[in-house]
Amino acid sequence: MKAGVRQFLIAASAAVIFPCAANAQTAAISDDVVKIGVLTDMSGQFSHESGEGAVTAVKMAVEDFGGKVLGKPIEVLVADHQNKPDIASGLARKWFDVDHVDMVANLINSSIALTVSQLAKEKNRIAIINGSGSSRLTNDACTPNSVHYAYDTYALARGTGSALAKDGKRSWYFLTADYAFGHALEADTSAVVKAMGGQVVGSVRYPVETSDQSSFLLQAQSSKAQVVALAGSGNVLVNSIKSAQEFGIPQGGQTLAGLLVWITDIKSLGLSSAQGLVLTNAFYWDRDDETRAWSKRFYDRMKRMPHMGDAGDYSSTMHYLKAIQAAGTDDAQAVMSKMREMPINDFFAKNGRIREDGRMVHDMYVYEVKKPSESRGDWDFYKLREVIPGEQAFRPLKDSVCPLVRKG
């Protein structure tokens, strides 16, 4: 073959190959933008556990990443689901079908997280859950498109339940919020209590939006159980702890156990009311130099210290964007593969990893709320009782019914 003809054929081949490569590179980011939707409670009883804090944390991660990934802009959308699964489903469906949102973040309220994570699977998008706790999200309701990041009811039960059982608190009575999160928290904690030789002497379920828990607390008081376990969250939890103090429940020798307590709850209660509470958490702003540095930045924006939901929203968003960068695309399955492959090492978690069931495994911490005399200042609320290694904190895969789990 003559040299001139050979050069022509090479040039022609390049003309075919390189446009295809260019087109593939352009198509790596769908619609030329990565869209993250923060679906949260902006105005209801869980807004102090999510809401503006979740939005701020996600936006901080996007800004720290540089505002672009693979040369394309990152946009953050925000919506208030009003704690109604039908509204949340409608918003998420519109985001996926019309607005082409790639990842939905936060998802406070377990009923909503369970609904939206299934929708993300259907639409082949990604859901990252930080606000909600139901361990069903990585058990029977797991999906290949969702990640449960900060905490879950299994870890809360494992930490607080075992800590109080070790203190000799063996009889329990549950005040349980009547929705998916409360049910899971009661079930997981009951299992821990019974495994350690304790017993559940009774339980009562209250409407999630109830404003008066007096009758429920009186039932718990009359049970004479050593532990009155509050399997709920939000403003109702704060009010129930205040009411329990007024009824003299802890003064009568019963221990109050807040099974999900946020640092914003302690701020609302004050140390005089909250002192002595034992709680399990994924994050505390004053844990080390890294947590203090990031928390100061968050505080400058929100004028409050962050909790584990805020820290988890930042960390998971950053991990998601790093996975897009590593995958070279925002395709959901390619990104999920990279998220599972890449370890998580930041101020939130060390050597964290996302398992095949979607559970992000990391250390959990058991804290006790300080007495007023022990606190050195504002937001100095916790003293560490125990560190639970990640492999012990979360449900073992051998016990999982998640269909994605391969068992030997």
Side-chain angles (χ1 to χ4, degrees), residues 7 12 53 57 93 96 111 126 171 203 242 249 252 288 298 301-302 314 324 343 353 358 369 382:
Q7 289 173 356
R93 192 174 295 276
F96 293 148
S111 299
I126 293 175
S171 61
S203 65
K242 290 179 179 177
I249 290 177
D288 55 40
F298 183 90
R301 297 192 184 205
M302 287 294 297
Y314 177 98
I324 292 176
R353 64 182 182 87
V369 178
Y382 297 161

Side-chain angles (χ1 to χ4, degrees), residues 52 62 66 77 137 149 176-177 197 235 261 264 307 349 377 400:
E52 199 58 50
V62 170
L77 287 70
L137 287 158
Y149 204 84
T176 301
N235 296 334
V261 179
T264 46
H307 48 57
S400 175

Side-chain angles (χ1 to χ4, degrees), residues 72-297:
K72 302 299 182 182
I74 307 164
E75 292 182 9
V76 177
L77 287 70
V78 178
D80 184 353
H81 57 50
Q82 302 174 50
N83 290 307
K84 297 177 180 178
D86 57 337
I87 290 177
S89 179
L91 288 167
R93 192 174 295 276
K94 177 181 177 296
W95 272 357
F96 293 148
D97 291 344
V98 179
D99 300 318
H100 306 294
V101 166
D102 300 287
M103 185 270 277
V104 177
N106 189 255
L107 295 172
I108 190 81
N109 187 316
S110 290
S111 299
I112 284 166
L114 289 162
T115 298
V116 174
S117 61
Q118 293 298 322
L119 186 58
K121 174 186 175 182
E122 175 189 329
K123 301 295 184 179
N124 195 31
R125 306 298 168 82
I126 293 175
I128 302 182
I129 301 123
N130 276 291
S132 304
S134 175
S135 60
R136 287 190 58 207
L137 287 158
T138 53
N139 201 31
D140 63 295
C142 72
T143 85
N145 292 66
S146 55
V147 178
H148 204 185
Y149 204 84
Y151 74 100
D152 66 21
T153 53
Y154 186 98
L156 298 179
R158 167 71 177 79
T160 305
S162 61
L164 290 175
K166 289 175 185 176
D167 288 346
K169 310 295 186 183
R170 298 302 174 92
S171 61
W172 289 59
Y173 189 97
F174 286 88
L175 269 69
T176 301
D178 194 11
Y179 76 119
F181 167 73
H183 300 170
L185 191 49
E186 179 185 337
D188 286 337
T189 308
S190 295
V192 170
V193 170
K194 292 173 183 177
M196 298 190 71
Q199 61 175 328
V200 176
V201 300
S203 65
V204 62
R205 291 182 174 178
Y206 61 85
V208 68
E209 297 288 349
T210 188
S211 58
D212 184 3
Q213 284 196 316
S214 299
S215 64
F216 307 126
L217 287 165
L218 290 172
Q219 291 177 58
Q221 189 174 38
S222 64
S223 75
K224 305 300 182 183
Q226 292 173 298
V227 178
V228 176
L230 306 173
S233 187
N235 296 334
V236 175
L237 173 72
V238 172
N239 292 336
S240 65
I241 293 174
K242 290 179 179 177
S243 296
Q245 294 283 355
E246 293 171 3
F247 291 150
I249 290 177
Q251 296 90 327
Q254 291 175 292
T255 297
L256 285 179
L259 298 179
L260 174 58
V261 179
W262 305 82
I263 197 168
T264 46
D265 296 331
I266 305 301
K267 181 67 172 176
S268 297
L269 287 163
L271 290 181
S272 295
S273 296
Q275 60 183 309
L277 273 175
V278 175
L279 57 96
T280 302
N281 221 284
F283 174 83
Y284 181 43
W285 72 269
D286 201 21
R287 192 173 70 215
D288 55 40
D289 288 343
E290 281 187 277
T291 60
R292 284 187 285 272
W294 184 83
S295 297
K296 182 182 183 303
R297 294 178 55 216

Side-chain angles (χ1 to χ4, degrees), residues 353-379:
R353 64 182 182 87
I354 297 172
R355 298 189 312 202
E356 58 203 276
D357 61 348
R359 176 68 257 165
M360 203 282 265
V361 176
H362 53 83
D363 293 349
M364 294 289 289
Y365 306 86
V366 180
Y367 293 105
E368 183 177 331
V369 178
K370 291 181 175 182
K371 300 175 183 177
S373 60
E374 296 174 315
S375 177
R376 298 166 298 172
D378 201 20
W379 296 99

Side-chain angles (χ1 to χ4, degrees), residues 324-351:
I324 292 176
Q325 189 77 46
T329 177
D330 62 355
D331 172 75
Q333 292 310 311
V335 173
M336 285 294 300
S337 178
K338 284 296 180 182
M339 289 181 73
R340 288 188 288 265
E341 176 185 317
M342 298 163 57
I344 296 150
N345 284 293
D346 59 13
F347 71 91
F348 179 77
K350 299 301 180 191
N351 299 313

Side-chain angles (χ1 to χ4, degrees), residues 58-70:
V58 169
K59 287 183 175 179
M60 284 176 65
V62 170
E63 291 169 14
D64 289 350
F65 199 80
K68 292 184 177 182
V69 58
L70 298 177

